[in-house]
Amino acid sequence: MSFATLALIGGAAAIGIAVAASKKGSDSAPTTTSTTAAASGDSNKMLDGYIAGAKIYEDTNGNGVLDVNTDRLVGHTDANGNIVFDVALTGGKALLGTGGVDLSTGLAFTGLLKTPAGSTIMTPLTTLVQAMVEQKG
């Protein structure tokens, strides 16, 4: 079992990723600065307030929509919002996070957060970055 800290928060840490991904070349795809999220000991965050009890999926078909019968459940968030990967990531796939409880409000998190492949943080901003990646194709 691989453990990594992946918390669900909206914040300044994601701005660098959003800025890097929003730079457009002539016809080049958006770029992101990231590291592999599957390595043990990496500090990965899923943020919108820390989310405990969320499920983390790999977007195996790349459509940006959570398809529970198609996308692969790869982990969950613990009581502190850290992501615990239950299986190794296949790589090259966006991650999707949903469910759980927002620790800052105590309310159920019913949204869907996304992050580009290899990113170490999942926030509302990385969700926008991933939408840009999906739109660019």
Side-chain angles (χ1 to χ4, degrees), residues 50-70:
Y50 289 101
I51 306 294
K55 292 183 179 179
I56 308 300
Y57 294 84
E58 273 187 318
D59 187 11
T60 56
N61 60 7
N63 68 354
V65 176
L66 178 59
D67 304 305
V68 293
N69 294 324
T70 305

Side-chain angles (χ1 to χ4, degrees), residues 79-129:
N80 297 313
N82 300 313
I83 289 187
V84 177
F85 290 104
D86 300 319
V87 297
L89 301 179
T90 59
K93 309 271 189 240
L95 294 179
L96 310 172
T98 191
V101 175
D102 185 325
L103 296 176
S104 64
T105 65
L107 299 174
F109 178 74
T110 60
L112 177 68
L113 293 181
K114 306 175 187 182
T115 194
S119 180
T120 60
I121 190 165
M122 185 182 294
T123 70
L125 288 173
T126 63
T127 300
L128 293 174
V129 170

Side-chain angles (χ1 to χ4, degrees), residues 14-40:
I15 292 173
I17 295 171
V19 169
S22 66
K23 292 181 181 177
K24 295 181 182 176
S26 54
D27 285 323
S28 63
T31 58
T32 60
T33 303
S34 63
T35 60
T36 303
S40 178

